[in-house]
Amino acid sequence: MSIQYGVWRMYALVDGNNFYCSVERVFRPSLTGRPVVVMGSNDGCVIARSNEAKALGVKMGEPWFQCRHLEKDQGLVALSANFTLYGDMSERMMTVAGSFAPRQEVYSIDECFLDFAGMPGGPGSLVETGRALREKVLRWTGIPTCVGFGPTKTLAKLANHIAKSAERKPGSYPEQLAQVCNLGELADEVRRELLVKTEVKEVWGVGPRIGAQLNAAGVSTVLDLVRLDPAAVRRRFSVVLEKTVLELRGISCLTLEDAPASRQQIMCSRSFGRPVLEMEGLVEALSDFAARAAEKLRKQENLAGAVHVFITTSPFRKEDRQYSRSVTVPLVRPTGDTRVLVSAAILALRAVFKPGYRYAKAGVMLMELQPESVHQAELDLGEPEPGTVPRDRSKLMSAVDAVNRRHGRGSLMVASAGLATARREFVPKQERRTPHYTTSWDDMPVARA
Ligand SMILES: [Mg+2]
């Protein structure tokens, strides 16, 4: 079967290699070549692994206590997640990558799609572009990436998987495809070989569950999947999988999100380093979460129409009495004002708080988001209603955001969020976090000759 790809579309998927670990290595080059893992949620389990850690058999999501022995035996280095640093480095990587194509969709913290439609290019030139992109991202940010090209997003993802595997596991794919792979320019026979070599679960959107169902139906390689009748796939599985098959055949069904639908919620939640018993502690934690969420909200230029709050005890502490509640407070008018959002969160907390429990986690979710630019017309009849955002307030909020950006998170905050930060009562356990090298003056790395 010959698969003809159109030439009128071309996507790239740029992906940071072992992103969190690579970012840590930028500032601690001594970690290069050593097995490194990054731990999430109170240093509980592994959320990122360097190639060397993968080679030691450390699994994604593995609880730390299960691989802790590798620290002594194999020199495994474990770090607490430093999301402030990862977020900032991600922005830098995306800016550099985005300069290579007219359109970009940032897909996750370490992945973006680029749309090369309409760009001039002859045979081989995209691979050249991909190499130049890798080189520039590496030189400007220190982050190694792999680049996959294809005439559809699904094929670009697949090309990226091939580029990454060819680099990490020599022999898995032809070595000339390592780091940069363009599925669109390969000869039919070569491409076919690649599709035979790749398991169906590696395809974007297939995953382990549908992968197992496909395997049970005798579909084990990507080529098997490509050969299925799309209409039959829709009947037996889903429209989504039908689109995947079409995309693998080079028929583009998924385009870049030009204007990504404004995200529907903003969540800020955390497990506490140790249980919180008093209302006061929760007020402080939730005020801080609401303020952080409000800052993200304003960055997206959105307003929230409702505030959702939850508090819960730890289901893992079987000896504790269990309690968990959530409540949503609708706002009179959508707002981006930290003070209104914090007040709503506290109001919600007062409605659900019960004394006598050991609270382990709480969170704030801002809901019913809408663009700031959509104004609800209203007659100005004297005093502003509570919850409205007159011009001076949005100026105040911009000023608060600017100060916190420049001088570090928490430099200016709503008073109810203040004490907890000082007492570190709800700060998650992060015993091995590296400094905020790129976002805090105090943490700036110092180079010595
Ligand atoms: Mg990655």
Side-chain angles (χ1 to χ4, degrees):
M1 172 177 174
S2 155
I3 305 157
Q4 288 300 319
Y5 294 154
V7 291
W8 43 281
R9 270 184 193 282
M10 191 51 71
Y11 293 100
L13 192 268
V14 183
D15 184 2
N17 301 348
N18 311 321
F19 185 71
Y20 297 164
C21 294
S22 297
V23 169
E24 295 288 355
R25 281 175 171 167
V26 172
F27 297 94
R28 288 174 65 180
S30 63
L31 297 177
T32 306
R34 298 186 59 182
V36 178
V37 294
V38 171
M39 302 180 294
S41 53
N42 289 314
D43 293 348
C45 55
V46 172
I47 58 168
R49 307 160 296 159
S50 73
N51 287 346
E52 296 79 3
K54 288 175 189 171
L56 287 180
V58 179
K59 298 274 174 291
M60 200 64 171
E62 189 167 340
W64 172 234
F65 69 84
Q66 278 179 19
C67 43
R68 178 165 217 146
H69 62 278
L70 296 171
E71 215 175 5
K72 276 217 179 86
D73 305 348
Q74 306 282 347
L76 179 69
V77 177
L79 300 167
S80 306
N82 184 347
F83 289 112
T84 306
L85 178 66
Y86 308 152
D88 183 68
M89 292 299 284
S90 166
E91 248 177 84
R92 291 165 195 246
M93 169 184 147
M94 296 309 173
T95 305
V96 178
S99 69
F100 280 79
R103 299 197 305 149
Q104 177 185 37
E105 176 193 338
V106 175
Y107 177 67
S108 69
I109 194 162
D110 69 334
E111 285 174 69
C112 70
F113 285 101
L114 298 173
D115 183 352
F116 285 87
M119 294 278 283
S125 70
L126 273 177
V127 170
E128 292 294 303
T129 305
R131 297 213 181 279
L133 188 158
R134 277 198 84 249
E135 189 57 35
K136 193 165 180 183
V137 170
L138 186 63
R139 187 170 300 184
W140 287 26
T141 70
I143 299 163
T145 53
C146 284
V147 186
F149 289 96
T152 66
K153 285 171 88 176
T154 305
L155 284 166
K157 265 288 224 189
L158 187 64
N160 187 277
H161 165 77
I162 292 167
K164 215 182 326 179
S165 308
E167 181 177 32
R168 186 160 79 83
K169 299 179 229 160
S172 59
Y173 293 104
E175 65 177 336
Q176 64 270 26
L177 301 179
Q179 299 181 344
V180 180
C181 167
N182 180 1
L183 274 178
E185 69 162 24
L186 298 174
D188 266 0
E189 266 317 295
V190 178
R191 196 155 52 209
R192 202 187 134 96
E193 266 309 290
L194 296 174
L195 300 188
V196 171
K197 272 191 175 168
T198 310
E199 284 183 62
V200 76
K201 71 169 164 43
E202 302 296 347
V203 173
W204 191 34
V206 171
R209 197 178 58 86
I210 298 174
Q213 289 175 23
L214 284 166
N215 287 348
V219 178
S220 58
T221 72
V222 181
L223 188 68
D224 296 337
L225 182 60
V226 172
R227 283 174 163 166
L228 295 182
D229 171 26
V233 168
R234 179 177 48 196
R235 282 194 303 274
R236 179 149 179 203
F237 293 91
S238 65
V239 177
V240 178
L241 194 63
E242 180 195 21
K243 280 188 180 166
T244 301
V245 172
L246 291 171
E247 283 243 322
L248 287 172
R249 292 181 173 196
I251 300 160
S252 184
C253 304
L254 310 167
T255 53
L256 280 206
E257 294 173 3
D258 292 320
S262 42
R263 278 161 279 175
Q264 289 307 293
Q265 297 101 27
I266 295 173
M267 176 77 155
C268 191
S269 74
R270 187 94 31 80
S271 297
F272 303 133
R274 57 189 136 99
V276 174
L277 286 102
E278 307 298 327
M279 170 87 153
E280 191 194 10
L282 289 174
V283 166
E284 289 164 357
L286 288 170
S287 301
D288 183 62
F289 299 161
R292 281 166 189 238
E295 196 178 322
K296 280 188 202 159
L297 181 76
R298 293 193 291 270
K299 204 169 168 200
Q300 293 178 7
E301 304 189 325
N302 277 332
L303 303 175
V307 179
H308 178 86
V309 162
F310 72 85
I311 52 175
T312 181
T313 51
S314 168
F316 300 106
R317 294 181 55 96
K318 300 263 184 271
E319 67 276 23
D320 284 358
R321 286 197 306 147
Q322 300 292 313
Y323 178 76
S324 78
R325 284 292 180 280
S326 67
V327 65
T328 305
V329 176
L331 300 171
V332 181
R333 271 171 215 82
T335 183
D337 190 309
T338 296
R339 291 165 300 175
V340 176
L341 296 167
V342 167
S343 309
I346 294 171
L347 191 73
L349 171 66
R350 290 190 198 284
V352 293
F353 178 81
K354 270 201 186 146
Y357 293 94
R358 296 162 64 84
Y359 293 99
K361 190 176 181 184
V364 169
M365 190 157 69
L366 303 183
M367 300 163 69
E368 296 179 36
L369 307 191
Q370 62 176 69
E372 214 173 54
S373 50
V374 179
H375 284 292
Q376 230 167 31
E378 206 168 292
L379 286 174
D380 184 6
L381 300 171
E383 285 292 293
E385 294 280 329
T388 56
V389 191
R391 188 175 287 271
D392 64 325
R393 280 213 189 170
S394 19
K395 270 193 193 154
L396 172 64
M397 287 303 124
S398 312
V400 169
D401 291 346
V403 169
N404 284 339
R405 258 197 311 276
R406 177 170 302 187
H407 297 289
R409 182 172 296 284
S411 301
L412 271 183
M413 58 177 100
V414 173
S416 54
L419 296 169
T421 316
R423 282 202 264 121
R424 300 272 157 205
E425 231 175 36
F426 62 93
V427 172
K429 197 170 125 196
Q430 282 195 310
E431 284 163 357
R432 301 153 177 242
R433 186 180 58 66
T434 48
H436 292 143
Y437 297 109
T438 58
T439 52
S440 162
W441 288 118
D442 293 337
D443 287 353
M444 190 139 71
V446 178
R448 292 191 188 85

